[in-house]
């Protein structure tokens, strides 16, 4: 036997022995460095693009958007970025449902890197406010489950829902025009809410196909990523790739969820009625659900499934470290002792659950780790308040350090470019149909909104019925 063969046999035996001895570590290594998949390296690492830090996330209603907002707030704090927050007159939203304007932004949160609180989208105003390289992202949800959630959540605020006898969703959908008033308070929750949030005309007739197509094209041009709530983790994989973020940057806990008793099952025939009543939202969802799976297919099903597994394992480790080695139980607001962690309750008919931290969390935990755990589960209203305080403090410190001649307010530069994708230049003009660039006037007010997310790892287009059954909220 030649020396070459002997050497190869020796190498093979050594390799097998090494794998048997370090089986657990090797399995993790193979998971992180799957053949044919990009390695999940963390910053700083040679060759990695810098993290993209200028982001607009259009926070839509009842779509898991509160969970996304919490993720973005934590990213902003970790990286010493500025998140645009509303002026006090607007509460924790940018005076929704009025069309967004920079006047709604608190001066202590200018100039911003990230904007993620509820607003009605106004492209022109955001262009003037945000840097030229800002990436625009939003999230949608399957119309059936989303409308059920809206009907339940806003039943005591939206007059179109409130006048329905016995709070019956079936009765509303049987004769929607009997209860719906397009121009009254909070009517945007009762029809095509996603379209309205995106700046579109919620009451455009379903027969106006040209408007629907133009609106879809405009949303597609403006937003680099449209996430899907039913595939929240898979959407986060695309987000991580788009923004060149680390796995730790996309860890989350589901927030603003209803108890099972606050949800109602859709009887046969209701999903199709909901889609017909919310035809523009249905078009949006179908289009961008298909788009999501095309983007995931480009990465590769095996690679996406691997990243989703790694994400969920990392989240489980984080949750167990925050909650004393076990997953946290969901609690009603009355059961949560820390008032900073009690979620807002829309009415006595809907229970929104949250989390409470263990009493002995401080033992063996640094103050930084305790703060991470607290922020991870902090509801939207409280986190907005905490973040505004910290950014105002930073603003005042910076104001005191400026030279006397520069202490006047700095005017924001006019921004003129809104890229679709960083690597793609679009030359065609936007469609003529009204869309995210502008919106119709409304005078109603709003309440805090929530989101949901489902979990799956199999890659491939899904039907609306399957997706609705997987949604958490």
């Amino acid at each position: 036997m030649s020396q070459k063969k002997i050497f190869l046999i020796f190498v093979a035996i050594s390799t097998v022995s090494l794998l048997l001895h370090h089986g657990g570590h090797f399995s993790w290594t193979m998971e992180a460095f799957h053949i044919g998949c990009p390695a999940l390296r963390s910053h700083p690492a040679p060759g990695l693009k810098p993290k993209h830090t200028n982001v607009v996330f259009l926070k839509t209603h009842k779509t898991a958007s509160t969970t996304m907002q919490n993720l973005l707030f934590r990213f902003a704090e970790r990286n010493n970025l500025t998140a645009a927050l509303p002026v006090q007159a607007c509460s924790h939203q940018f005076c929704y449902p009025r069309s967004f304007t920079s006047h709604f932004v608190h001066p202590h949160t200018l100039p911003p890197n990230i904007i993620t609180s509820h607003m009605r989208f106004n492209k022109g105003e955001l262009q003037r406010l945000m840097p030229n390289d800002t990436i625009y992202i939003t999230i949608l949800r399957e119309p059936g489950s989303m409308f059920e959630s809206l009907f339940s959540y806003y039943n005591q605020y939206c007059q179109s829902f409130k006048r329905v006898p016995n709070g019956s969703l079936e009765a509303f959908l049987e004769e929607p025009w009997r209860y719906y008033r397009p121009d009254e308070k909070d009517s945007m929750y009762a029809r095509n809410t996603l379209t309205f949030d995106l700046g579109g005309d919620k009451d455009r007739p379903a027969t106006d196909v040209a408007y629907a197509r133009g609106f879809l094209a405009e949303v597609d041009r403006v937003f680099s990523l449209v996430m899907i709530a039913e595939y929240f983790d898979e959407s986060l994989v695309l987000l991580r790739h788009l923004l060149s973020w680390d796995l730790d940057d996309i860890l989350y806990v589901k927030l603003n969820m209803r108890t099972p008793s606050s949800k109602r099952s859709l009887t046969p025939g209701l999903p199709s009625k909901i889609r017909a009543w919310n035809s523009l939202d249905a078009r949006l969802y179908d289009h961008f659900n298909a788009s999501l799976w095309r983007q995931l297919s480009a990465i590769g099903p095996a690679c996406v499934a691997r990243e989703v597994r790694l994400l969920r394992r990392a989240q489980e480790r984080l949750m167990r470290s925050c909650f004393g080695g076990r997953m946290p139980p969901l609690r009603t607001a009355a059961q949560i002792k820390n008032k900073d962690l009690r979620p807002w309750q829309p009415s006595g008919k809907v229970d929104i659950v949250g989390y409470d931290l263990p009493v002995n969390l401080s033992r063996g935990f640094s103050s930084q780790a305790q703060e991470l755990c607290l922020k991870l589960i902090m509801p939207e209203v409280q986190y907005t308040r905490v973040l505004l305080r910290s950014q105002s403090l930073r603003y005042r410190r910076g104001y005191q350090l400026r030279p006397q001649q520069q202490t006047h307010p700095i005017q924001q530069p006019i921004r003129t470019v809104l890229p679709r994708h960083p690597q793609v230049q679009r030359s065609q003009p936007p469609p003529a149909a009204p869309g995210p660039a502008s919106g119709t006037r409304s005078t109603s007010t709003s309440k805090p909104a929530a989101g949901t997310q489902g979990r799956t790892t199999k890659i491939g287009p899904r039907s609306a019925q399957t997706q609705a059954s997987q949604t958490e909220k």
Side-chain angles (χ1 to χ4, degrees), residues 353-374:
V353 292
Y355 309 90
D356 214 350
L357 289 175
V359 181
N360 60 350
L361 177 67
S362 58
R363 297 177 186 174
F365 270 70
S366 66
S367 58
Q368 187 176 6
Q370 291 180 53
E371 184 179 8
L372 168 62
C373 295
L374 182 68

Side-chain angles (χ1 to χ4, degrees), residues 98-347:
R98 294 167 61 186
S99 186
F100 175 80
T101 169
S102 58
H103 298 300
F104 297 159
V105 181
H106 198 290
H108 292 181
T109 65
L110 293 172
N113 303 103
I114 289 174
I115 188 164
T116 177
S117 299
H118 274 305
M119 69 167 70
R120 189 170 188 213
F121 192 72
N122 184 328
K123 184 180 68 174
E125 284 291 309
L126 285 164
Q127 282 179 309
R128 285 185 279 274
L129 177 70
M130 299 298 294
N132 288 338
D133 66 345
T134 297
I135 288 179
Y136 289 70
I137 297 164
T138 191
I139 187 167
L140 308 180
R141 181 180 175 186
E142 189 276 321
S145 60
M146 177 181 166
F147 195 75
E148 182 278 323
S149 184
L150 286 164
F151 190 88
S152 170
Y153 200 89
Y154 294 107
N155 194 269
Q156 299 302 303
Y157 299 97
C158 176
Q159 295 300 313
S160 298
F161 293 157
K162 197 172 182 179
R163 62 173 58 97
V164 181
N166 302 318
S168 170
L169 178 59
E170 290 80 1
F172 177 86
L173 291 169
E174 191 66 31
E175 299 179 278
W177 283 109
R178 179 178 178 180
Y179 309 105
Y180 176 70
R181 308 288 186 274
D183 299 322
E184 74 180 357
K185 182 178 183 291
D186 293 341
S187 65
M188 66 281 178
Y189 298 129
R191 193 180 193 198
N192 289 314
T193 307
L194 293 172
T195 299
F196 183 87
D197 287 352
L198 285 159
D201 181 357
K202 62 183 173 61
D203 296 303
R204 186 62 65 113
T207 53
D208 194 343
V209 178
Y211 175 84
R213 288 175 178 169
F215 182 72
L216 274 176
E218 174 72 353
V219 175
D220 204 15
R221 188 186 71 83
V222 170
F223 289 87
S224 297
L225 174 63
V226 177
M227 303 171 65
I228 298 294
E230 286 75 22
Y231 306 110
F232 193 76
D233 290 349
E234 290 81 359
S235 296
L236 285 179
V237 170
L238 293 177
L239 178 82
R240 193 191 71 77
H241 284 253
L242 176 66
L243 302 179
S244 189
W245 284 8
D246 298 333
L247 188 66
D248 288 346
D249 295 323
I250 59 172
L251 300 181
Y252 70 92
V253 174
K254 297 175 186 177
L255 298 175
N256 213 24
M257 296 184 293
R258 291 176 293 162
T259 57
S261 61
S262 298
K263 304 176 185 179
R264 66 182 79 189
S265 300
L266 296 180
T267 56
L270 281 189
S272 60
K273 290 181 178 180
I274 290 173
R275 287 178 62 87
W277 176 244
N278 299 276
S279 60
L280 284 170
D281 280 8
R283 278 179 174 268
L284 278 169
Y285 182 83
D286 292 345
H287 176 86
F288 287 105
N289 181 43
S291 174
L292 179 90
W293 292 106
R294 285 194 297 271
Q295 294 176 71
L296 291 170
S297 296
I299 296 176
C303 297
V304 173
R306 173 200 56 142
E307 288 202 36
V308 168
R309 286 194 299 271
L310 289 173
L311 169 62
R312 292 174 181 172
R313 289 174 189 173
Q315 284 182 172
E316 185 174 349
R317 287 194 298 270
L318 176 60
M319 294 291 281
R320 290 187 183 279
S321 68
C322 284
F323 292 92
R326 59 187 177 87
M327 300 302 287
L330 289 168
R331 301 185 184 278
T332 63
Q335 294 174 322
I336 298 174
K337 298 176 182 178
N338 188 340
K339 65 179 181 180
D340 288 335
L341 297 177
R342 292 175 192 157
W344 182 81
Q345 304 297 304
S347 72

Side-chain angles (χ1 to χ4, degrees), residues 61 92-93 95-97 154 185-186 188-189 444-448:
H61 286 83
H92 63 287
Q93 305 178 350
C95 287
Y96 183 88
Y154 294 107
K185 182 178 183 291
D186 293 341
M188 66 281 178
Y189 298 129
S444 52
T445 57
S446 66
K447 300 292 177 182

Side-chain angles (χ1 to χ4, degrees), residues 1-9:
M1 187 179 295
S2 67
Q3 290 183 342
K4 184 176 181 180
K5 288 182 178 179
I6 293 173
F7 174 74
L8 291 175
I9 291 172

